[in-house]
Amino acid sequence: MKRYLFLFLSVSLLISSCTETNPSGPDPNDFDRKAILENWADNIIIPALTDFSEKTESLKTAGNNFAENPDQQALEALRDQWKAGYIALQHVSMFETSKTMEIRYRNNLNIYPVDTAEVNENINQGNYNLKLPSEIDQQGFPTLDYLLYGLAGNDAEILSFYNSGKNSSDYRNYVVDLVTRIDSLTDIVLNDWNSGFRDEFVNNSGNGANSSIDMMVNDFIFYYEKNLRAGKIGIPAGVFSGTPLPQNVEGFYSEEFSKELFLESLTATQNFFNGKHFNSGTSGLSLSDYLDFLNTIKNGTDLTQLINQQFEESRTKAQNLNSSFVAQVETDNSLMLQTYDELQKNVILLKVDMLQALNINVDYVDADGD
């Protein structure tokens, strides 16, 4: 309870310390909003999706190869492609569109924890339908994590599920169905961007709740707040439950990559804020430039600088975490809580100060007391 009270008071104090802008200075609507959208679409989103699509294709191939011959070599190859895809997902997961919402893209690819009881029932009965909303926690990268690492205590026992168990063919088929669905959903999203949505997105450069910038900025902050801050750190650390929940860690069964996935997501969100091109040192117009154009100052310091400093403070704090967040939560959860607190500071800078400066309203309901 004291922790929630502290967060509430911290937010109240930060909100009361308003961001400073020159009332006679530039108007947010005078900035070249279309140039931001072009940079986002052409240099960040579509390249990241293209890269991810290539990795999901490789994942599908590795899954099919494993199903044909589930030996140690094929298992390790599939695990490698699973990890590569999971890391690449961190660079596309924040980008919501009408198409991704229609197909529940983010949820179908990365809802955790996995409902292992339902996964096993699906495999045993064989009459599942992964398109149903009720099955979002029985597919995607987290379920592959379970099937590649969590079925047993060692690789020989895991492989026995695919080779000698009574439902071995059903286990193999489920893996194939999972990797095929990940790849097909990704193709749908990428094809949407490449077949008209890109131009629609870029040309919707006005202001208002339905403009591309307003919607993308809200989706970006929602992702940072709910998926990065809360999902990857806050929920397993027990911030909202009062009790640590190690079973809610991303990459729970592999027990090696949760920190790596978190840091990749943190980098992706900072890169987006700064307009850094995907897999490149080049940067184009983005939110940092928009704030600089407006000469946005908070407590005497440039707001862009404050936001980037807080990204770095969060990264520095997270570097002290165990590579396995399960181990971290179970051995020294205080470091997880400290990382959460650093992430929380940027929620205020982004969600309150940045939105105020850009004259953008929050378009989602918040219920976790931040």
Side-chain angles (χ1 to χ4, degrees), residues 40 58-59 80-81 103 149 173 200 211 298 319:
W40 287 351
S58 296
L59 176 66
D80 287 344
Q81 295 303 325
I103 65 175
Y149 292 94
N173 290 338
E200 178 185 334
S211 69
K298 180 179 175 68
Q319 293 291 356

Side-chain angles (χ1 to χ4, degrees), residues 25-26 130 133 137-138 152 243 272 281 298 301 312-313 327 340 350 352:
L130 296 177
D137 56 359
Q138 299 148 50
T243 303
F272 178 77
K298 180 179 175 68
T301 303
E312 295 305 326
E313 289 292 334
Y340 174 88
L350 294 168
V352 178

Side-chain angles (χ1 to χ4, degrees), residues 217-229:
V217 169
N218 266 284
D219 292 337
F220 163 67
I221 296 174
F222 180 91
Y223 176 82
Y224 177 89
E225 181 182 6
K226 306 301 181 184
N227 295 85
L228 176 62
R229 178 209 61 154

Side-chain angles (χ1 to χ4, degrees), residues 136-147:
I136 59 172
D137 56 359
Q138 299 148 50
Q139 60 184 291
F141 285 89
T143 299
L144 282 172
D145 182 30
Y146 168 63
L147 293 175

Side-chain angles (χ1 to χ4, degrees), residues 4 11 28 61 67 92 139 156 193 200 203 216 222 279 281:
Y4 296 129
V11 172
T61 299
V92 304
Q139 60 184 291
W193 276 96
E200 178 185 334
N203 291 325
M216 185 60 73
F222 180 91
N279 273 355

Side-chain angles (χ1 to χ4, degrees), residues 149-353:
Y149 292 94
L151 291 175
N154 60 62
D155 287 357
E157 292 177 355
I158 289 172
L159 286 169
S160 69
F161 280 84
Y162 299 97
N163 284 299
S164 56
K166 68 174 183 178
N167 296 322
S168 58
S169 62
D170 298 317
Y171 275 91
R172 296 196 299 269
N173 290 338
Y174 203 72
V175 167
V176 170
D177 286 346
L178 294 183
V179 297
T180 300
R181 181 159 169 77
I182 288 171
D183 186 55
S184 64
L185 290 174
T186 301
D187 285 346
I188 290 172
V189 175
L190 180 58
N191 289 340
D192 186 56
W193 276 96
N194 286 330
S195 60
F197 180 73
R198 181 268 176 201
D199 292 341
E200 178 185 334
F201 175 79
V202 167
N203 291 325
N204 185 18
S205 58
N207 58 7
N210 294 321
S211 69
S212 292
I213 283 187
D214 285 43
M215 290 191 291
M216 185 60 73
V217 169
N218 266 284
D219 292 337
F220 163 67
I221 296 174
F222 180 91
Y223 176 82
Y224 177 89
E225 181 182 6
K226 306 301 181 184
N227 295 85
L228 176 62
R229 178 209 61 154
K232 298 179 190 293
I233 300 291
I235 291 173
V239 171
F240 310 103
S241 61
T243 303
L245 302 170
Q247 69 273 19
N248 285 36
V249 162
E250 186 178 31
F252 173 75
Y253 296 96
S254 52
E255 296 187 1
E256 296 180 54
F257 309 122
S258 44
K259 177 181 176 180
E260 189 172 355
L261 293 170
F262 166 76
L263 288 173
E264 196 74 22
S265 179
L266 185 67
T267 295
T269 54
Q270 185 175 13
N271 286 350
F272 178 77
F273 172 76
N274 290 309
K276 186 177 180 181
H277 296 183
F278 178 73
N279 273 355
S280 169
T282 303
S283 294
L285 291 179
S286 193
L287 298 174
S288 58
D289 303 278
Y290 206 166
L291 293 174
D292 289 344
F293 170 81
L294 296 170
N295 191 31
T296 309
I297 306 297
K298 180 179 175 68
N299 297 332
T301 303
D302 178 75
L303 182 57
T304 293
Q305 180 181 341
L306 288 174
I307 290 172
N308 275 313
Q309 285 177 346
Q310 198 51 51
F311 272 118
E312 295 305 326
E313 289 292 334
S314 300
R315 182 175 290 104
T316 298
K317 184 65 67 174
Q319 293 291 356
N320 297 320
L321 297 172
N322 193 295
S323 59
S324 166
F325 283 177
V326 174
Q328 188 64 64
V329 168
E330 293 178 341
T331 59
D332 186 1
N333 192 48
S334 66
L335 292 181
M336 289 284 283
L337 295 173
Q338 291 170 25
T339 302
Y340 174 88
D341 288 342
E342 294 300 329
L343 293 166
Q344 170 63 24
K345 294 174 185 176
N346 239 356
V347 171
I348 305 306
L349 294 174
L350 294 168
K351 190 176 179 180
V352 178
D353 297 294

